[in-house]
Amino acid sequence: QVYVVFSEELKCWCRALVQSVQCQAGGYQLGCFLVDYAKYCSVASENIRVLAGAFAKIPHRAKKCRLHCTKPLTLHIDYCENTAKIGPAKRWDTAAIQHFRKLLE
C-alpha cells in the first residue's frame, strides 16, 4: 500500500512504500521507498498519512528493477605472479555503482 510521508531531505510530502519499521526510544522509524523519486529515506511515524482517493491511482514514476543476468565483477590482482584478471565478485564495487549511476543520469 502506498502512503504519503514527509521527506526532511526534500522538504515536501511524497508518496512512499513502507519497507521496514523500527522501534526507537522516541517512537517508530519507518524505512520508506519514495515511488516518485526512486530514493530510500527514514521517516518518523508521526510523518506518515494514508493516501486519499484519486491520488492512490496515479502510476508511480519510479520502478524498482534489476539488470537481467548481470553479475558483479571485480579486478583480482595477484602480486606474486604480477597479474590482474577480471573475475566474479560477491558484491558490486563502489566505483562500479558510481559509474552506473553516472550512465543513468
Side-chain angles (χ1 to χ4, degrees):
Q1 182 176 348
V2 180
Y3 295 94
V4 179
V5 299
F6 187 77
S7 169
E8 295 290 337
E9 179 186 348
L10 300 172
K11 304 286 187 232
C12 65
W13 290 90
C14 308
R15 295 184 302 161
L17 294 170
V18 175
Q19 302 281 311
S20 64
V21 179
Q22 295 179 344
C23 183
Q24 295 185 345
Y28 291 95
Q29 205 62 19
L30 308 169
C32 299
F33 176 72
L34 305 179
V35 298
D36 293 320
Y37 295 94
K39 289 185 171 207
Y40 291 92
C41 70
S42 185
V43 177
S45 59
E46 59 267 8
N47 289 334
I48 187 169
R49 306 286 187 272
V50 175
L51 188 60
F55 292 111
K57 297 177 184 172
I58 298 172
H60 305 161
R61 291 178 57 200
K63 302 269 185 211
K64 289 186 188 179
C65 60
R66 294 183 183 184
L67 297 175
H68 182 68
C69 295
T70 303
K71 304 287 184 200
L73 298 174
T74 192
L75 186 64
H76 297 282
I77 299 172
D78 187 347
Y79 292 105
C80 296
E81 295 183 19
N82 201 22
T83 60
K85 296 179 183 175
I86 293 179
K90 293 181 182 178
R91 296 176 24 148
W92 288 100
D93 293 330
T94 305
I97 294 169
Q98 290 173 353
H99 178 68
F100 182 71
R101 286 183 178 159
K102 286 180 184 176
L103 289 174
L104 289 176
E105 291 174 358

